Amino acid sequence: MEYKNYFETRNGNYYLYLPSEYTFHLLPESCMPYWTGEKEPDDSYESRKVAFFQQLLKREAKEEFITEYSPIKLKKNLANLNHLLIEVTDGCNLACKYCGYGDLYGNYDKRENKNNTFQNVKLLVDYLQELWHSTENLSFNKVCYIGFYGGEPLINFPLIKETIDYLESLPSHNGMRFEYNMTTNAVLLHKYMDYIVEKRFHLLISLDGNEYNDSYRVAKNGKGSFQKVIANIGSLKEKYPDYFEQQVNFNAVLHNRNSVKDIISYIREQFGKVPSIAPLSSNGIRKDKMQEFMNMFRNQVESYREAESCMDMKEVVESPDSSMANFFINSYCAQTFRKYGDLFVYEKDKKYIPTGTCMPLKRKLFLTVNGKILACERIGQEYTLGEIIDGKVCLDFDGISRFYKELFDKIIHLCKNCAMSKGCGMCIFHQNSITEKKINCAGYTPKRKLNEVFSEYLYYFENKREAFNKVINETIII
């Protein structure tokens, strides 16, 4: 079956997707005999409707892939940055067995218990401040998130406070303001919770479930951290219940000592929260550690299916995922606008950048303890976009543009023939073949499978209409 033809959901409903119009259409059951050729065309409403759709299917969708991201656009992206992430320290008070900066991985700078300096942070903030106050900044009432990252960021709490004091001393532009977030192991939470609450941090606490589930998260001496962490979380919840309800969330790593069911059951029962769950990162694994990694790895999809089969977990596991729903609708449907400015520049004939890699310098900027400037904290530290050298921020927009073009040119041959080209979620920096002449994408899906993708999304919306309504009526991405 060709991908431009009709498809059926598990509920037995038939749909048609028109690539040239970016629209989905329900095909009534009475139309299907005409669509499949079981009935000859006649003058009936159903026959004429099918004929109309068949004409529309003959129109070609104009899709253009671009691999060149201009230096001018890069600078504009940076002036409208969403999230500045600061590696406060590369030191940590835990030695988690699966840590992305641990023995399993080899794509990061050597960890030397080094703290970042306020001098470097200030240099980068001042550099951004000039852009924020320039005509390149088109934002109004924008929130720029400042993230504090480690290691364990609370080890270098003075830098966190000094950075916030400086940011809050700066003059605002077009109503721009800062909000703060942090991922923490919560070992030192009891010392700094008052300040964290005062500044309304969006706090993400790492916890893998119950004590056994969490047993890879150990201190330097090999002893578990669970009891101390649980005590600190309990203290925060008891002392600041409103803050805890509104600002605190949990993040869990999936591995061979837990499951999606274990994680959700424990954290929901103890703290009334549904955590985000991620599998062990497969990016940057050392060859000599591959077997150890595989012993710890647990398949995320299989674990979700296990949890889904339990009746008491079904409501949580199948809860509306507005981010994925938003992603699908914005990728495949017309008349959707990710921000208000798109209303004035809307084009149905869209241009695509290969892969789902974030727009460079737009979504995030990451400053390491060594003064490296990266696009994100989740990619290998060999992919440096700039550095702070001799008291100066060095960002070469022309060089960054060439760097991304070289990467995109190596994978565009796949993107042009991929069913997920409009809705790709694969980051180019997470492909193991990134250094090869041609990149082989792990998420490549032949276009003949596009119907299967559509079928699953539409089935989801049929059963979870509130997810669709939430995206259409509530979800706005700035």
Side-chain angles (χ1 to χ4, degrees):
M1 183 167 58
E2 294 296 328
Y3 83 96
K4 289 183 180 179
N5 214 322
Y6 70 91
F7 59 92
E8 183 181 3
T9 68
R10 283 186 273 168
N11 288 330
N13 296 314
Y14 296 97
Y15 294 87
L16 169 71
Y17 182 67
L18 298 176
S20 63
E21 309 301 315
Y22 291 86
T23 53
F24 290 91
H25 300 269
L26 177 67
L27 287 174
E29 191 172 347
S30 58
C31 288
M32 295 312 298
Y34 294 99
W35 194 272
T36 59
E38 293 176 26
K39 283 188 177 182
E40 293 294 325
D42 55 35
D43 198 40
S44 66
Y45 167 78
E46 290 82 1
S47 180
R48 287 184 284 115
K49 184 170 186 174
V50 167
F52 173 73
F53 281 144
Q54 287 175 339
Q55 286 299 313
L56 289 178
L57 274 175
K58 293 178 181 179
R59 296 182 182 178
E60 289 294 328
K62 294 181 180 179
E63 299 175 6
E64 182 182 351
F65 286 90
I66 55 173
T67 61
E68 191 163 354
Y69 213 87
S70 73
I72 294 173
K73 196 165 187 178
L74 288 170
K75 189 173 183 180
K76 187 170 293 186
N77 281 353
L78 195 56
N80 295 271
L81 181 69
N82 290 329
H83 194 169
L84 173 60
L85 197 60
I86 300 165
E87 187 178 39
V88 179
T89 178
D90 68 6
C92 190
N93 43 18
L94 295 184
C96 303
K97 300 293 186 183
Y98 55 67
C99 178
Y101 298 117
D103 291 340
L104 294 178
Y105 299 87
N107 60 342
Y108 58 87
D109 291 343
K110 185 178 179 181
R111 314 304 275 180
E112 299 178 318
N113 292 315
K114 184 176 181 179
N115 288 340
N116 215 328
T117 66
F118 178 67
Q119 179 186 6
N120 274 1
V121 173
K122 183 178 182 298
L123 282 167
L124 183 56
V125 169
D126 289 345
Y127 180 91
L128 292 172
Q129 179 76 347
E130 286 189 27
L131 290 172
W132 289 333
H133 283 264
S134 72
T135 56
E136 303 291 345
N137 184 354
L138 304 177
S139 307
F140 183 76
N141 283 339
K142 180 183 179 66
V143 174
C144 182
Y145 293 96
I146 308 297
F148 298 101
Y149 187 78
E152 167 51 42
L154 288 177
I155 286 178
N156 191 12
F157 177 77
L159 178 60
I160 295 173
K161 187 176 184 307
E162 196 170 9
T163 299
I164 291 176
D165 287 344
Y166 184 66
L167 287 166
E168 295 184 349
S169 73
L170 298 173
S172 179
H173 177 71
N174 287 345
M176 182 175 175
R177 64 190 189 280
F178 301 106
E179 291 187 14
Y180 312 108
N181 58 63
M182 180 194 304
T183 300
T184 178
N185 59 33
V187 171
L188 298 174
L189 184 60
H190 60 294
K191 289 187 175 183
Y192 306 114
M193 69 170 67
D194 294 342
Y195 183 84
I196 289 169
V197 173
E198 177 191 343
K199 296 300 179 182
R200 302 295 295 176
F201 269 71
H202 300 276
L203 198 64
L204 190 64
I205 297 174
S206 299
L207 186 67
D208 291 349
N210 62 34
E211 189 161 10
Y212 173 72
N213 301 151
D214 200 60
S215 57
Y216 279 133
R217 304 185 60 79
V218 297
K220 302 288 186 182
N221 59 9
K223 293 184 178 179
S225 61
F226 180 81
Q227 292 298 336
K228 188 167 190 176
V229 167
I230 291 299
N232 286 345
I233 298 171
S235 296
L236 177 65
K237 183 180 179 182
E238 182 178 355
K239 188 173 182 180
Y240 299 107
D242 291 340
Y243 169 82
F244 189 89
E245 175 65 27
Q246 296 164 14
Q247 300 291 97
V248 176
N249 286 294
F250 291 85
N251 176 62
V253 174
L254 186 64
H255 46 70
N256 64 331
R257 292 186 183 177
N258 63 12
S259 68
V260 168
K261 181 186 175 184
D262 291 337
I263 297 165
I264 294 177
S265 294
Y266 181 80
I267 294 177
R268 184 176 60 166
E269 180 181 332
Q270 295 296 317
F271 304 112
K273 304 276 187 176
V274 177
S276 58
I277 302 173
L280 291 173
S281 173
S282 59
N283 184 38
I285 302 295
R286 287 170 44 185
K287 290 182 179 180
D288 62 323
K289 295 290 183 177
M290 183 57 70
Q291 187 57 53
E292 185 177 348
F293 168 81
M294 292 307 299
N295 292 340
M296 297 173 66
F297 184 80
R298 185 181 179 94
N299 186 285
Q300 189 177 25
V301 174
E302 290 178 3
S303 191
Y304 266 98
R305 285 174 179 165
E306 290 173 13
E308 199 174 27
S309 67
C310 304
M311 293 306 294
D312 62 321
M313 298 300 299
K314 201 170 184 65
E315 180 181 352
V316 174
V317 175
E318 290 189 343
S319 60
D321 187 339
S322 59
S323 62
M324 285 305 296
N326 180 79
F327 188 63
F328 172 74
I329 290 173
N330 276 284
S331 297
Y332 288 100
C333 300
Q335 304 299 328
T336 60
F337 308 94
R338 294 179 67 84
K339 55 184 182 296
Y340 292 120
D342 291 347
L343 288 166
F344 303 100
V345 294
Y346 173 69
E347 293 179 342
K348 189 166 67 175
D349 298 336
K350 298 181 181 179
K351 296 180 180 180
Y352 299 92
I353 293 176
T355 75
T357 307
C358 296
M359 290 185 182
L361 307 184
K362 171 67 173 174
R363 186 163 175 257
K364 285 185 179 181
L365 195 70
F366 179 42
L367 175 66
T368 76
V369 294
N370 294 315
K372 288 185 175 181
I373 299 172
L374 306 172
C376 176
E377 82 283 8
R378 296 177 181 272
I379 65 179
Q381 293 188 354
E382 66 268 38
Y383 303 117
T384 304
L385 300 183
E387 290 185 82
I388 295 179
I389 303 174
D390 297 329
K392 184 179 179 181
V393 175
C394 300
L395 276 172
D396 176 8
F397 293 109
D398 290 299
I400 295 170
S401 177
R402 289 192 299 271
F403 171 65
Y404 274 89
K405 177 172 171 51
E406 288 172 4
L407 289 180
F408 290 147
D409 279 342
K410 294 198 292 185
I411 202 170
I412 193 171
H413 66 289
L414 290 179
C415 297
K416 286 180 176 179
N417 296 292
C418 181
M420 300 305 296
S421 59
K422 296 178 186 175
C424 179
M426 302 297 293
C427 175
I428 199 167
F429 293 103
H430 291 170
Q431 305 304 319
N432 291 329
S433 58
I434 190 171
T435 59
E436 305 296 330
K437 289 184 178 180
K438 286 190 176 181
I439 299 174
N440 296 314
C441 179
Y444 174 72
T445 306
K447 282 195 173 183
R448 66 178 182 275
K449 292 185 175 292
L450 188 57
N451 272 343
E452 297 175 20
V453 175
F454 285 164
S455 177
E456 287 304 305
Y457 272 111
L458 269 294
Y459 173 74
Y460 173 79
F461 286 129
E462 286 174 347
N463 294 317
K464 290 290 182 181
R465 297 184 185 182
E466 64 270 32
F468 181 80
N469 291 333
K470 183 178 180 64
V471 173
I472 297 301
N473 298 316
E474 300 178 30
T475 306
I476 299 174
I477 299 181
I478 302 298

